[in-house]
Amino acid sequence: GNHEYFGDTEQSMHNISSRFPEMKDSSWRSFIFKKVAFILLNSNTELSVEFNERQNQWYKKELSRFDLDNEVNQIIVVTHQPPFTNGTGIGFGDDEFVIENFVGSFNESKKAQLFISGHCHNYEHLLIDGKHFIVSGGGGGPRRSIDLEGDYKDI
Protein backbone atom coordinates (compact mmCIF):
# COMPACT_ATOMS: atom_id res chain seq x y z
CA GLY A 1 0.00 0.00 0.00
CA ASN A 2 0.92 3.63 0.17
CA HIS A 3 0.57 4.22 3.91
CA GLU A 4 3.68 2.18 4.69
CA TYR A 5 5.78 4.91 3.05
CA PHE A 6 4.47 7.91 4.97
CA GLY A 7 7.24 9.57 6.95
CA ASP A 8 10.83 8.38 6.75
CA THR A 9 11.28 6.32 3.53
CA GLU A 10 14.46 4.62 4.79
CA GLN A 11 12.73 3.53 8.00
CA SER A 12 9.73 2.38 5.95
CA MET A 13 11.92 0.20 3.74
CA HIS A 14 13.61 -1.26 6.85
CA ASN A 15 10.24 -2.09 8.40
CA ILE A 16 9.02 -3.79 5.23
CA SER A 17 12.19 -5.84 4.74
CA SER A 18 12.14 -6.86 8.43
CA ARG A 19 8.59 -8.19 8.05
CA PHE A 20 9.15 -9.64 4.55
CA PRO A 21 12.81 -10.79 4.38
CA GLU A 22 12.40 -11.98 0.78
CA MET A 23 11.97 -8.32 -0.16
CA LYS A 24 15.20 -7.13 1.47
CA ASP A 25 16.77 -5.81 -1.75
CA SER A 26 13.58 -4.71 -3.47
CA SER A 27 9.86 -4.42 -2.91
CA TRP A 28 8.86 -6.13 -6.13
CA ARG A 29 8.83 -9.77 -7.10
CA SER A 30 7.46 -12.33 -9.53
CA PHE A 31 6.45 -15.96 -9.37
CA ILE A 32 4.62 -18.60 -11.39
CA PHE A 33 1.57 -20.42 -10.09
CA LYS A 34 -0.08 -23.07 -12.29
CA LYS A 35 1.16 -21.60 -15.59
CA VAL A 36 0.20 -18.05 -14.58
CA ALA A 37 3.03 -15.58 -13.99
CA PHE A 38 2.48 -12.85 -11.42
CA ILE A 39 4.49 -9.64 -11.39
CA LEU A 40 4.06 -7.60 -8.20
CA LEU A 41 5.26 -4.00 -8.47
CA ASN A 42 5.78 -1.12 -6.09
CA SER A 43 3.76 1.80 -7.48
CA ASN A 44 4.55 4.31 -4.75
CA THR A 45 5.87 7.61 -6.08
CA GLU A 46 7.46 8.38 -2.71
CA LEU A 47 10.41 6.18 -3.70
CA SER A 48 13.62 7.40 -5.34
CA VAL A 49 14.16 7.83 -9.07
CA GLU A 50 16.99 5.26 -8.90
CA PHE A 51 14.67 2.76 -7.20
CA ASN A 52 11.99 3.25 -9.86
CA GLU A 53 14.48 2.93 -12.73
CA ARG A 54 15.83 -0.33 -11.27
CA GLN A 55 12.30 -1.67 -10.86
CA ASN A 56 11.30 -0.68 -14.42
CA GLN A 57 14.32 -2.45 -15.93
CA TRP A 58 13.51 -5.57 -13.92
CA TYR A 59 9.79 -5.37 -14.86
CA LYS A 60 10.50 -5.22 -18.59
CA LYS A 61 12.89 -8.18 -18.32
CA GLU A 62 10.30 -10.21 -16.42
CA LEU A 63 7.58 -9.47 -18.97
CA SER A 64 9.89 -10.52 -21.77
CA ARG A 65 11.04 -13.64 -19.91
CA PHE A 66 7.47 -14.76 -19.23
CA ASP A 67 6.33 -13.96 -22.79
CA LEU A 68 9.05 -16.33 -24.08
CA ASP A 69 8.42 -19.06 -21.47
CA ASN A 70 6.32 -21.87 -22.98
CA GLU A 71 5.28 -22.94 -19.46
CA VAL A 72 3.54 -19.59 -18.88
CA ASN A 73 0.09 -19.10 -20.39
CA GLN A 74 -0.79 -15.74 -18.90
CA ILE A 75 0.77 -12.83 -16.99
CA ILE A 76 -0.97 -10.88 -14.24
CA VAL A 77 0.53 -7.53 -13.21
CA VAL A 78 -0.29 -6.14 -9.75
CA THR A 79 0.18 -2.62 -8.33
CA HIS A 80 -1.36 -0.78 -5.43
CA GLN A 81 -2.50 2.35 -7.29
CA PRO A 82 -4.71 1.71 -10.35
CA PRO A 83 -3.71 3.07 -13.74
CA PHE A 84 -7.38 3.54 -14.64
CA THR A 85 -10.43 3.99 -12.44
CA ASN A 86 -13.77 5.71 -12.33
CA GLY A 87 -13.14 6.33 -8.61
CA THR A 88 -13.49 9.93 -7.51
CA GLY A 89 -12.17 12.05 -4.67
CA ILE A 90 -8.92 13.66 -3.62
CA GLY A 91 -5.99 11.31 -4.17
CA PHE A 92 -8.02 8.92 -6.29
CA GLY A 93 -8.39 8.59 -10.03
CA ASP A 94 -6.11 7.45 -12.83
CA ASP A 95 -2.53 7.16 -11.58
CA GLU A 96 -0.16 8.85 -14.02
CA PHE A 97 2.91 7.22 -12.46
CA VAL A 98 1.49 3.73 -13.02
CA ILE A 99 0.38 4.60 -16.55
CA GLU A 100 3.78 6.07 -17.43
CA ASN A 101 5.88 3.31 -15.87
CA PHE A 102 3.90 0.10 -16.27
CA VAL A 103 0.97 0.21 -18.70
CA GLY A 104 2.93 0.60 -21.96
CA SER A 105 4.99 -2.53 -21.36
CA PHE A 106 1.88 -4.37 -20.10
CA ASN A 107 0.05 -3.50 -23.33
CA GLU A 108 2.99 -4.65 -25.47
CA SER A 109 3.14 -8.05 -23.77
CA LYS A 110 1.29 -10.83 -25.57
CA LYS A 111 0.56 -12.83 -22.43
CA ALA A 112 -0.20 -9.96 -20.05
CA GLN A 113 -3.99 -9.78 -20.02
CA LEU A 114 -4.90 -8.78 -16.47
CA PHE A 115 -3.78 -5.77 -14.40
CA ILE A 116 -4.95 -5.82 -10.77
CA SER A 117 -4.78 -2.89 -8.36
CA GLY A 118 -6.46 -1.53 -5.27
CA HIS A 119 -6.16 1.84 -3.52
CA CYS A 120 -9.57 3.22 -4.57
CA HIS A 121 -11.57 1.07 -2.12
CA ASN A 122 -14.04 -0.08 -4.77
CA TYR A 123 -14.48 -2.91 -7.26
CA GLU A 124 -14.23 -2.13 -10.95
CA HIS A 125 -13.61 -4.32 -13.98
CA LEU A 126 -12.50 -2.27 -16.96
CA LEU A 127 -11.80 -3.57 -20.46
CA ILE A 128 -9.44 -1.17 -22.23
CA ASP A 129 -7.97 -2.00 -25.64
CA GLY A 130 -8.65 -5.70 -25.11
CA LYS A 131 -6.87 -5.84 -21.74
CA HIS A 132 -8.57 -6.35 -18.37
CA PHE A 133 -8.02 -3.94 -15.48
CA ILE A 134 -9.48 -4.79 -12.08
CA VAL A 135 -9.61 -2.37 -9.18
CA SER A 136 -10.36 -4.28 -6.02
CA GLY A 137 -9.78 -2.41 -2.85
CA GLY A 138 -11.58 -2.40 0.43
CA GLY A 139 -9.15 -3.33 3.11
CA GLY A 140 -11.17 -1.61 5.80
CA GLY A 141 -10.99 1.84 4.24
CA PRO A 142 -14.10 3.81 3.33
CA ARG A 143 -15.65 3.01 -0.04
CA ARG A 144 -15.23 5.72 -2.66
CA SER A 145 -17.70 7.16 -5.10
CA ILE A 146 -17.54 5.98 -8.69
CA ASP A 147 -18.29 8.20 -11.68
CA LEU A 148 -20.51 5.89 -13.73
CA GLU A 149 -20.62 8.49 -16.50
CA GLY A 150 -16.79 8.55 -16.72
CA ASP A 151 -14.51 7.53 -19.57
CA TYR A 152 -14.35 3.89 -18.48
CA LYS A 153 -17.17 1.41 -18.37
CA ASP A 154 -17.52 -1.34 -15.78
CA ILE A 155 -18.08 -4.75 -17.33
Side-chain angles (χ1 to χ4, degrees):
N2 54 312
H3 297 270
E4 290 78 11
Y5 296 95
F6 290 167
D8 184 311
T9 300
E10 190 174 313
Q11 182 62 46
S12 300
M13 294 301 289
H14 172 75
N15 292 343
I16 291 168
S17 64
S18 295
R19 174 65 178 91
F20 302 101
E22 70 276 10
M23 300 179 108
K24 181 178 187 250
D25 297 323
S26 67
S27 58
W28 56 83
R29 64 183 292 224
S30 66
F31 60 92
I32 298 171
F33 180 75
K34 295 189 178 188
K35 298 191 177 237
V36 177
F38 290 81
I39 300 176
L40 312 177
L41 299 166
N42 189 329
S43 59
N44 290 289
T45 58
E46 295 86 358
L47 303 171
S48 71
V49 172
E50 182 268 327
F51 180 94
N52 288 324
E53 287 174 1
R54 204 163 44 102
Q55 178 179 229
N56 286 347
Q57 289 173 357
W58 173 87
Y59 170 56
K60 290 174 184 176
K61 280 185 190 175
E62 289 299 276
L63 279 174
S64 178
R65 179 171 74 94
F66 290 140
D67 269 336
L68 295 172
D69 187 336
N70 291 331
E71 295 299 312
V72 171
N73 293 336
Q74 187 176 54
I75 302 168
I76 297 174
V77 175
V78 181
T79 61
H80 179 71
Q81 290 84 350
F84 309 112
T85 179
N86 289 314
T88 62
I90 297 171
F92 298 92
D94 295 356
D95 192 286
E96 293 301 321
F97 176 83
V98 175
I99 293 169
E100 180 181 313
N101 287 280
F102 307 130
V103 172
S105 298
F106 172 80
N107 285 339
E108 291 171 8
S109 168
K110 292 180 174 127
K111 293 181 183 177
Q113 294 297 314
L114 177 59
F115 198 112
I116 300 174
S117 56
H119 187 64
C120 285
H121 300 255
N122 287 312
Y123 175 80
E124 299 176 77
H125 181 178
L126 310 169
L127 183 62
I128 301 172
D129 297 328
K131 302 269 188 166
H132 295 269
F133 294 82
I134 291 181
V135 180
S136 182
R143 292 180 45 172
R144 302 290 174 183
S145 298
I146 295 178
D147 177 7
L148 296 177
E149 303 299 321
D151 293 336
Y152 310 112
K153 304 274 190 265
D154 290 332
I155 60 172

